[in-house]
Amino acid sequence: MANSNFAPIGKSFVVRRTKDEALETRHRILDVAERVFSEHGVTRTSLADIAHAAGVTRGAIYWHFADKADLFCNMFARVTMPMESPVCKADHRAAADPLASIRTMMIGILRWTAEDPQARRVFHIVFHKCEHVDEMKPVWRRINEMRANCLRHIDEGLQAAVAKGQLPNALDTRQAAIGLRALLDGLISNRVLDPDDHAVDHDAERLVDLFMNALGPAARPAPRNARRRATAAA
């Protein structure tokens, strides 16, 4: 007597294998698109180019993606960018030392950049190999939100630092936050554009400290020896 469970089990196995193969093909297309976009730019790359490099047909690409813009947006969606890393979720306002919390976040962003080659590659494609066209709006919306969140977190942390007496009351925290975010933007961009620029890799802490120390003297008592010298001079 035939096993009545055989057909359903066999069908389930085939369906699962087909889904796994389809997912593998999708990932391969995205991997290849990332490489080809990086080498030739988005505009100069066609779906036929990607299909040829991935060893699939154009039909296979259209099975997974509506068009090149959809493929590009999905390529970007699977990558965590430096300013989206887990360290960026810290609440500086709740920290006992807001300045230290900001410092840890900024260094974490730079280290994420240094240690994640895929994030650097996609960053390079988006900012240097891609036109700002309507089809890419989801990508730019995400980037703008990412940078706005980073700015907000830094500003909130600086406000908390002022409230705790770590920074001067007169500090314009918004302008200072814009400057610190610009530092991150610049260092990330330099690392992406020049693979041999390893300043971010080796000097992240020193670079962040250099700029944070320039925000102004902390509003706290001077060291004891400095107070003695000031009293003697008087």
Side-chain angles (χ1 to χ4, degrees):
M1 180 177 180
N3 187 342
S4 60
N5 293 326
F6 178 80
I9 292 174
K11 182 177 181 181
S12 174
F13 173 77
V14 171
V15 170
R16 183 172 66 253
R17 187 176 70 175
T18 301
K19 287 183 177 179
D20 290 343
E21 290 174 346
L23 186 60
E24 180 183 348
T25 298
R26 177 185 174 87
H27 286 318
R28 183 165 77 253
I29 292 170
L30 289 170
D31 289 340
V32 169
E34 187 179 298
R35 174 174 59 80
V36 178
F37 284 151
S38 180
E39 292 173 355
H40 304 291
V42 177
T43 302
R44 296 179 60 186
T45 298
S46 67
L47 288 181
D49 295 329
I50 295 172
H52 176 74
V56 300
T57 64
R58 287 185 62 189
I61 293 183
Y62 281 117
W63 175 262
H64 293 281
F65 309 101
D67 50 30
K68 186 168 71 172
D70 183 42
L71 191 161
F72 179 88
C73 291
N74 277 273
M75 178 204 72
F76 183 65
R78 67 179 186 159
V79 177
T80 300
M81 300 302 286
M83 289 185 187
E84 296 172 321
S85 58
V87 71
C88 296
K89 302 185 185 302
D91 185 356
H92 307 311
R93 295 170 298 182
D97 187 340
L99 283 183
S101 184
I102 296 172
R103 179 181 185 271
T104 297
M105 183 192 78
M106 294 183 66
I107 292 172
I109 289 172
L110 295 175
R111 285 179 174 165
W112 188 280
T113 303
E115 296 169 2
D116 190 340
Q118 184 183 38
R120 291 200 305 273
R121 186 163 52 249
V122 173
F123 185 100
H124 179 67
I125 293 169
V126 171
F127 283 92
H128 304 290
K129 297 282 188 173
C130 174
E131 293 183 341
H132 293 212
V133 294
D134 288 344
E135 291 83 353
M136 307 301 184
K137 278 185 177 179
V139 169
W140 292 106
R141 186 181 305 115
R142 176 181 162 194
I143 290 172
N144 290 334
E145 290 176 355
M146 172 187 73
R147 297 182 71 251
N149 287 335
C150 180
L151 179 64
R152 177 174 54 81
H153 279 297
I154 295 175
D155 189 12
E156 290 173 350
L158 293 177
Q159 290 178 40
V162 170
K164 288 179 177 289
Q166 292 184 301
L167 291 172
N169 290 330
L171 179 69
D172 186 331
T173 60
R174 176 74 177 181
Q175 292 300 313
I178 290 173
L180 290 174
R181 188 187 64 180
L183 169 67
L184 293 174
D185 286 341
L187 290 174
I188 292 171
S189 183
N190 287 345
R191 184 65 178 86
V192 168
L193 283 173
D194 184 0
D196 296 324
D197 183 354
H198 295 286
V200 169
D201 307 36
H202 306 304
D203 300 322
E205 294 186 18
R206 186 177 64 83
L207 291 166
V208 170
D209 287 343
L210 177 67
F211 280 79
M212 290 194 70
N213 291 339
L215 293 178
R220 53 176 175 255
R224 182 175 301 175
N225 290 338
R227 292 202 302 272
R228 288 176 178 172
R229 289 194 297 270
T231 301

